[in-house]
Amino acid sequence: FYYSTDAGQSWNKSENFDSNVSDVTINPENENEYFVGTIGEGIFYTSNSGVTWETKNTGLPGSLGRTSVQMAPSDTDILYSLMEVSGIGYIYKSNDHGMSWESSYSGGSGFFNNQGWYNNYIMVHPTNPDIAFAGGMNLYKTSNGGGTWASVSSSGRTHVDHHCGMFNPLDNDEIYIGN
């Protein structure tokens, strides 16, 4: 995990952390606090800009593959994580700032179609923590805090293999996805 404090002029490697990072989310209220998703080791947390790290895997399954994690900007106690476990897509949610995780969705083998190591991301609405999107082979959405997830990319409306997404910061009804 590398970081720059001078707009990319130079880079520093985070000490005491040597995992393959697949995602990062920073607390919008505290720039020293962030979570990272890793490949094979789950989720890590720092409250001091990476000086020390702790795992935040309570409730997550074993044998984790690529893990994405995102914090709800409007409620920093809420996080969503999409992970690949033996080729199957799982979504977990934390309501207690990553202290514990509960299963929200199991997508079966078709969620990633054995490509969870490659196309895997999750994003949370900027002002509504109940709305989140998860991308694998298709794009899934929850509007009720992870209670249910439904595909919003069927019928050829988007290309498969979802890699990234973001909300327009000036209009939260506009969503951009990359595949």
Side-chain angles (χ1 to χ4, degrees), residues 17 19 35-45 54-65 67-69 81 83 92-94 96-102:
F17 189 78
S19 296
F35 292 82
V36 295
T38 64
I39 299 171
E41 297 181 63
I43 298 169
F44 287 82
Y45 166 80
E54 58 186 284
T55 58
K56 292 290 186 175
N57 293 335
T58 301
L60 298 180
S63 303
L64 296 170
T67 302
S68 297
V69 61
S81 179
M83 58 201 66
Y92 279 75
K93 181 181 179 185
S94 174
D96 58 8
H97 207 68
M99 296 300 293
S100 63
W101 297 87
E102 293 185 16

Side-chain angles (χ1 to χ4, degrees), residues 105 111 121 123 131-143 148-159 162 167 175 177 179:
Y105 182 77
F111 187 92
Y121 79 91
M123 64 181 191
I131 298 173
F133 289 83
M137 284 299 288
N138 291 300
L139 185 64
Y140 290 80
K141 177 185 179 182
T142 184
S143 296
T148 57
W149 293 82
S151 175
V152 292
S153 62
S154 59
S155 304
R157 293 186 294 226
T158 64
H159 179 74
H162 294 267
F167 289 88
I175 302 168
I177 58 172
N179 50 24

Side-chain angles (χ1 to χ4, degrees), residues 1-3 12-24 34-45 50 52-57 64-67:
F1 188 74
Y2 290 83
Y3 63 94
N12 302 295
K13 185 177 186 301
S14 180
E15 298 294 325
N16 306 316
F17 189 78
D18 196 25
S19 296
N20 292 320
V21 175
S22 51
D23 201 8
V24 62
Y34 35 93
F35 292 82
V36 295
T38 64
I39 299 171
E41 297 181 63
I43 298 169
F44 287 82
Y45 166 80
T52 59
W53 295 89
E54 58 186 284
T55 58
K56 292 290 186 175
N57 293 335
L64 296 170
R66 179 175 170 169
T67 302

